[in-house]
PDB file of all heavy atoms in Angstrom:
ATOM      1  N   THR A  70       2.509  32.435   6.703  1.00 98.00           N
ATOM      2  CA  THR A  70       1.498  33.429   7.024  1.00 98.00           C
ATOM      3  C   THR A  70       1.160  34.317   5.830  1.00 98.00           C
ATOM      4  O   THR A  70       1.845  34.357   4.828  1.00 98.00           O
ATOM      5  CB  THR A  70       1.948  34.302   8.209  1.00 98.00           C
ATOM      6  OG1 THR A  70       3.204  34.920   7.900  1.00 98.00           O
ATOM      7  CG2 THR A  70       2.077  33.456   9.497  1.00 98.00           C
ATOM      8  N   LYS A  71       0.011  35.038   5.946  1.00 97.00           N
ATOM      9  CA  LYS A  71      -0.482  35.892   4.900  1.00 97.00           C
ATOM     10  C   LYS A  71       0.571  36.835   4.352  1.00 97.00           C
ATOM     11  O   LYS A  71       0.667  37.048   3.143  1.00 97.00           O
ATOM     12  CB  LYS A  71      -1.655  36.733   5.421  1.00 97.00           C
ATOM     13  CG  LYS A  71      -2.897  35.967   5.763  1.00 97.00           C
ATOM     14  CD  LYS A  71      -4.066  36.832   6.124  1.00 97.00           C
ATOM     15  CE  LYS A  71      -3.833  38.144   6.802  1.00 97.00           C
ATOM     16  NZ  LYS A  71      -5.081  38.869   7.097  1.00 97.00           N
ATOM     17  N   ASP A  72       1.393  37.412   5.219  1.00 97.00           N
ATOM     18  CA  ASP A  72       2.336  38.402   4.794  1.00 97.00           C
ATOM     19  C   ASP A  72       3.496  37.816   3.982  1.00 97.00           C
ATOM     20  O   ASP A  72       4.293  38.557   3.413  1.00 97.00           O
ATOM     21  CB  ASP A  72       2.880  39.199   5.964  1.00 97.00           C
ATOM     22  CG  ASP A  72       3.641  38.335   6.987  1.00 97.00           C
ATOM     23  OD1 ASP A  72       3.360  37.119   7.069  1.00 97.00           O
ATOM     24  OD2 ASP A  72       4.480  38.902   7.713  1.00 97.00           O
ATOM     25  N   GLN A  73       3.593  36.523   3.848  1.00 98.00           N
ATOM     26  CA  GLN A  73       4.631  35.869   3.092  1.00 98.00           C
ATOM     27  C   GLN A  73       4.185  35.548   1.667  1.00 98.00           C
ATOM     28  O   GLN A  73       4.957  35.012   0.853  1.00 98.00           O
ATOM     29  CB  GLN A  73       5.052  34.569   3.771  1.00 98.00           C
ATOM     30  CG  GLN A  73       5.745  34.821   5.124  1.00 98.00           C
ATOM     31  CD  GLN A  73       6.086  33.550   5.846  1.00 98.00           C
ATOM     32  OE1 GLN A  73       5.197  32.832   6.235  1.00 98.00           O
ATOM     33  NE2 GLN A  73       7.351  33.283   5.994  1.00 98.00           N
ATOM     34  N   LEU A  74       2.948  35.892   1.298  1.00 98.00           N
ATOM     35  CA  LEU A  74       2.419  35.604  -0.026  1.00 98.00           C
ATOM     36  C   LEU A  74       2.392  36.860  -0.895  1.00 98.00           C
ATOM     37  O   LEU A  74       2.411  37.985  -0.362  1.00 98.00           O
ATOM     38  CB  LEU A  74       0.984  35.048   0.083  1.00 98.00           C
ATOM     39  CG  LEU A  74       0.835  33.570   0.285  1.00 98.00           C
ATOM     40  CD1 LEU A  74       1.435  33.112   1.566  1.00 98.00           C
ATOM     41  CD2 LEU A  74      -0.607  33.144   0.190  1.00 98.00           C
ATOM     42  N   VAL A  75       2.376  36.663  -2.180  1.00 97.00           N
ATOM     43  CA  VAL A  75       2.341  37.775  -3.117  1.00 97.00           C
ATOM     44  C   VAL A  75       0.936  38.208  -3.448  1.00 97.00           C
ATOM     45  O   VAL A  75       0.712  39.163  -4.221  1.00 97.00           O
ATOM     46  CB  VAL A  75       3.121  37.436  -4.427  1.00 97.00           C
ATOM     47  CG1 VAL A  75       4.571  37.201  -4.152  1.00 97.00           C
ATOM     48  CG2 VAL A  75       2.481  36.243  -5.126  1.00 97.00           C
ATOM     49  N   VAL A  76      -0.070  37.493  -2.934  1.00 97.00           N
ATOM     50  CA  VAL A  76      -1.505  37.869  -3.150  1.00 97.00           C
ATOM     51  C   VAL A  76      -2.195  37.967  -1.793  1.00 97.00           C
ATOM     52  O   VAL A  76      -1.715  37.422  -0.760  1.00 97.00           O
ATOM     53  CB  VAL A  76      -2.238  36.799  -3.976  1.00 97.00           C
ATOM     54  CG1 VAL A  76      -1.674  36.737  -5.394  1.00 97.00           C
ATOM     55  CG2 VAL A  76      -2.218  35.442  -3.337  1.00 97.00           C
ATOM     56  N   ARG A  77      -3.328  38.640  -1.766  1.00 97.00           N
ATOM     57  CA  ARG A  77      -4.158  38.672  -0.599  1.00 97.00           C
ATOM     58  C   ARG A  77      -4.992  37.384  -0.577  1.00 97.00           C
ATOM     59  O   ARG A  77      -5.397  36.934  -1.597  1.00 97.00           O
ATOM     60  CB  ARG A  77      -5.082  39.906  -0.641  1.00 97.00           C
ATOM     61  CG  ARG A  77      -4.316  41.197  -0.623  1.00 97.00           C
ATOM     62  CD  ARG A  77      -5.171  42.380  -0.609  1.00 97.00           C
ATOM     63  NE  ARG A  77      -5.687  42.578   0.747  1.00 97.00           N
ATOM     64  CZ  ARG A  77      -6.785  43.246   1.064  1.00 97.00           C
ATOM     65  NH1 ARG A  77      -7.510  43.819   0.132  1.00 97.00           N
ATOM     66  NH2 ARG A  77      -7.192  43.327   2.284  1.00 97.00           N
ATOM     67  N   VAL A  78      -5.247  36.843   0.610  1.00 97.00           N
ATOM     68  CA  VAL A  78      -5.978  35.618   0.756  1.00 97.00           C
ATOM     69  C   VAL A  78      -7.437  36.042   1.059  1.00 97.00           C
ATOM     70  O   VAL A  78      -7.740  36.400   2.193  1.00 97.00           O
ATOM     71  CB  VAL A  78      -5.391  34.728   1.907  1.00 97.00           C
ATOM     72  CG1 VAL A  78      -6.155  33.441   1.969  1.00 97.00           C
ATOM     73  CG2 VAL A  78      -3.932  34.489   1.619  1.00 97.00           C
ATOM     74  N   GLY A  79      -8.266  35.961   0.051  1.00 96.00           N
ATOM     75  CA  GLY A  79      -9.640  36.460   0.126  1.00 96.00           C
ATOM     76  C   GLY A  79     -10.423  36.034   1.380  1.00 96.00           C
ATOM     77  O   GLY A  79     -11.056  36.837   2.021  1.00 96.00           O
ATOM     78  N   ILE A  80     -10.348  34.762   1.696  1.00 95.00           N
ATOM     79  CA  ILE A  80     -11.110  34.241   2.823  1.00 95.00           C
ATOM     80  C   ILE A  80     -10.643  34.847   4.158  1.00 95.00           C
ATOM     81  O   ILE A  80     -11.365  34.848   5.130  1.00 95.00           O
ATOM     82  CB  ILE A  80     -11.054  32.703   2.875  1.00 95.00           C
ATOM     83  CG1 ILE A  80     -12.171  32.195   3.785  1.00 95.00           C
ATOM     84  CG2 ILE A  80      -9.681  32.219   3.304  1.00 95.00           C
ATOM     85  CD1 ILE A  80     -12.382  30.728   3.611  1.00 95.00           C
ATOM     86  N   LYS A  81      -9.446  35.421   4.174  1.00 97.00           N
ATOM     87  CA  LYS A  81      -8.892  35.971   5.412  1.00 97.00           C
ATOM     88  C   LYS A  81      -8.936  37.513   5.457  1.00 97.00           C
ATOM     89  O   LYS A  81      -8.464  38.075   6.404  1.00 97.00           O
ATOM     90  CB  LYS A  81      -7.446  35.451   5.574  1.00 97.00           C
ATOM     91  CG  LYS A  81      -7.407  33.948   5.765  1.00 97.00           C
ATOM     92  CD  LYS A  81      -5.972  33.442   5.926  1.00 97.00           C
ATOM     93  CE  LYS A  81      -5.930  31.949   6.087  1.00 97.00           C
ATOM     94  NZ  LYS A  81      -6.314  31.488   7.418  1.00 97.00           N
ATOM     95  N   GLU A  82      -9.487  38.103   4.423  1.00 96.00           N
ATOM     96  CA  GLU A  82      -9.531  39.586   4.350  1.00 96.00           C
ATOM     97  C   GLU A  82     -10.894  40.090   4.764  1.00 96.00           C
ATOM     98  O   GLU A  82     -11.919  39.457   4.539  1.00 96.00           O
ATOM     99  CB  GLU A  82      -9.187  40.017   2.902  1.00 96.00           C
ATOM    100  CG  GLU A  82      -7.805  39.597   2.434  1.00 96.00           C
ATOM    101  CD  GLU A  82      -6.671  40.136   3.231  1.00 96.00           C
ATOM    102  OE1 GLU A  82      -6.817  41.212   3.909  1.00 96.00           O
ATOM    103  OE2 GLU A  82      -5.557  39.560   3.221  1.00 96.00           O
TER     104      GLU A  82
END
Side-chain angles (χ1 to χ4, degrees):
T70 55
K71 295 186 327 180
D72 62 335
Q73 294 175 294
L74 273 63
V75 296
V76 296
R77 297 182 78 200
V78 182
I80 196 164
K81 296 180 180 283
E82 300 298 336

